[in-house]
Amino acid sequence: MLTVEQTVVEGIIRGRVNERQKKTVLLNKEFLAEVVNGLSKPQKKLPCKYFYDEKGSQLFEAICATPEYYVTRTECNIYEKYADEMSDLIGDKVLLLEPGAGSVKKVGLLLDKLNAPVGFVPMDISQEILEDSSKILSEQFPAININPIVVDFLNKEQIHNIFSALPAKPLVNKRVIFFPGSTIGNFDPDDAVSFLKQFADNLHTGDGLLIGVDLVKDTAILEAAYDDATGITAEFNANLLDRIDRELDAKFYLGSFNHRAIFNRNKSRIEMHLVSDNEQSVHIANNEFIFEEGETIHTENSYKYTVDGFSALAKKAGFRLEKVWKDDDGFFSVNYFSVL
Ligand code: AVI
């Protein structure tokens, strides 16, 4: 069997690999390196960013519609109820920027209420996703200037270049980063601080951050949200192994790994794992990984915060909390920060 690299070299020699394929192969190379590195650790792990291939993104959409996953529904209700107040606080002539082309619905609820916004800048690594979401938003808001930018928002240099080129006063009163969905919860806290700091460093005093953050609550509610009765989250988790099989020519036997979601209260995070139900070995591109019965692959963390805890984290990144909106149960928060 050829490794990914051998396949490319073969293809290049025979002139069968075009530019697009080369790019895919480079991405696969990075994917392979991260998978091998993660599975070589004493606690095996895989990066959660690889959940979102086409099938994984569809499964995530389906998770958002399950009765147990309160996160999306609750956050949308908060925008429906309070977008007017958010808009008053943000003020007129805002340039809204969203790292990651997120949910068109959430930003739509906000754009609908903003007062004479200068524009909306969705930023994502995928041109295709950006084009789709920008098209929908341009049709919904023909008067708003929608300017998608293809960027890897984890790349500090790219972010700096983009922010340096943004229009400033008097055209724009404020730049506001919109980061909904509690995606920040999927970063470890130190990484969350550096992620937010790179934005604060590129904004001006008085600019803002509107961010959705999931809150600490009962263990049973949290664990059900990440282990729904219909098994969609389990399928989402297992799809990561399926993706490795498909894209890296590995041979995980999916039926022998079970989904587990537990709330680790000490670390205030939901942990998702895939648990090997027997002793087995898996081959991935010349590497062999041995699994004991019951051994797990840690696939995702989803941190849950208190309002004060998140405010302290954001302060380390250079933001001051101005206002918080929550649902009646106190399950979820949308927080407005300004740059210090
Ligand atoms: C995308 N992210 C905020 C989700 C979460 O709640 O951490 C991902 C997810 N994983 C399982 N269910 C949802």
Side-chain angles (χ1 to χ4, degrees):
M1 193 214 311
L2 295 177
T3 63
V4 178
E5 277 153 300
Q6 284 164 338
T7 313
V8 184
V9 174
E10 277 275 295
I12 291 171
I13 292 168
R14 294 175 203 285
R16 282 191 275 108
V17 175
N18 62 28
E19 282 308 312
R20 196 162 154 230
Q21 286 167 319
K22 265 191 229 165
K23 202 170 154 202
T24 309
V25 165
L26 286 178
L27 287 177
N28 272 357
K29 217 175 136 187
E30 198 180 305
F31 182 22
L32 175 63
E34 292 194 64
V35 167
V36 169
N37 179 40
L39 294 182
S40 305
K41 298 205 187 298
Q43 166 61 70
K44 295 182 171 64
K45 49 173 96 164
L46 290 169
C48 65
K49 66 178 178 189
Y50 289 113
F51 277 136
Y52 304 93
D53 63 351
E54 204 182 331
K55 185 169 172 213
S57 303
Q58 284 166 4
L59 286 166
F60 179 62
E61 288 296 309
I63 288 173
C64 294
T66 60
E68 294 92 338
Y69 194 72
Y70 59 84
V71 177
T72 312
R73 201 174 46 245
T74 311
E75 186 179 19
C76 284
N77 290 342
I78 295 175
Y79 297 119
E80 262 153 22
K81 193 161 169 193
Y82 298 112
D84 276 322
E85 278 183 37
M86 294 173 192
S87 164
D88 286 348
L89 201 60
I90 290 171
D92 66 349
K93 295 205 282 177
V94 61
L95 182 65
L96 192 72
L97 300 116
E98 183 175 3
S103 142
V104 171
K105 179 169 179 201
K106 285 176 203 161
V107 75
L109 291 167
L110 188 64
L111 288 175
D112 195 34
K113 300 289 177 182
L114 288 181
N115 183 7
V118 175
F120 173 54
V121 182
M123 303 183 282
D124 201 275
I125 201 160
S126 157
Q127 180 156 6
E128 207 183 324
I129 294 179
L130 271 181
E131 278 169 5
D132 291 351
S133 57
S134 303
K135 187 168 175 281
I136 299 173
L137 288 169
S138 309
E139 280 164 14
Q140 197 182 346
F141 302 100
I144 300 181
N145 195 356
I146 309 221
N147 261 311
I149 299 183
V150 178
V151 55
D152 174 1
F153 60 80
L154 296 175
N155 181 320
K156 288 196 165 100
E157 205 184 316
Q158 283 186 24
I159 287 291
H160 178 70
N161 291 341
I162 286 168
F163 276 68
S164 316
L166 291 177
K169 283 187 187 250
L171 188 65
V172 172
N173 266 347
K174 257 183 208 171
R175 300 134 182 236
V176 172
I177 307 278
F178 181 51
F179 201 53
S182 204
T183 304
I184 197 68
N186 296 128
F187 291 72
D188 282 338
D190 285 349
D191 295 336
V193 172
S194 7
F195 175 73
L196 295 178
K197 190 170 183 316
Q198 70 165 343
F199 290 111
D201 288 348
N202 283 292
L203 293 168
H204 304 144
T205 303
D207 285 342
L209 166 71
L210 186 67
I211 184 164
V213 180
D214 196 16
L215 299 173
V216 179
K217 58 186 69 62
D218 278 0
T219 300
I221 296 171
L222 282 168
E223 291 185 348
Y226 291 82
D227 193 7
D228 59 282
T230 36
I232 299 170
T233 311
E235 210 187 317
F236 173 74
N237 203 5
N239 179 55
L240 190 50
L241 301 187
D242 197 22
R243 178 174 184 185
I244 294 171
D245 281 356
R246 279 183 272 117
E247 294 182 25
L248 302 179
D249 202 16
K251 293 270 172 301
F252 273 102
Y253 179 57
L254 299 196
S256 64
F257 285 90
N258 298 317
H259 172 67
R260 178 186 290 163
I262 50 148
F263 183 53
N264 179 337
R265 200 163 277 276
N266 284 335
K267 298 203 164 156
S268 201
R269 68 189 191 196
I270 280 280
E271 293 180 6
M272 291 210 316
H273 293 259
L274 287 160
V275 190
S276 173
D277 73 0
N278 65 79
E279 196 185 315
Q280 55 183 316
S281 74
V282 177
H283 290 264
I284 310 174
N286 297 335
N287 301 280
E288 185 187 25
F289 300 99
I290 312 278
F291 289 85
E292 303 295 330
E293 183 183 336
E295 189 177 354
T296 77
I297 310 174
H298 187 173
T299 51
E300 187 183 57
N301 287 321
S302 193
Y303 283 84
K304 309 298 165 189
Y305 289 95
T306 58
V307 169
D308 288 349
F310 191 76
S311 165
L313 182 151
K315 193 171 171 206
K316 286 192 204 158
F319 290 100
R320 182 185 53 226
L321 183 61
E322 301 288 349
K323 184 145 179 109
V324 187
W325 297 270
K326 290 193 269 183
D327 56 296
D328 293 344
D329 295 319
F331 278 10
F332 197 91
S333 65
V334 176
N335 309 256
Y336 185 71
F337 291 90
S338 58
V339 177
L340 287 167

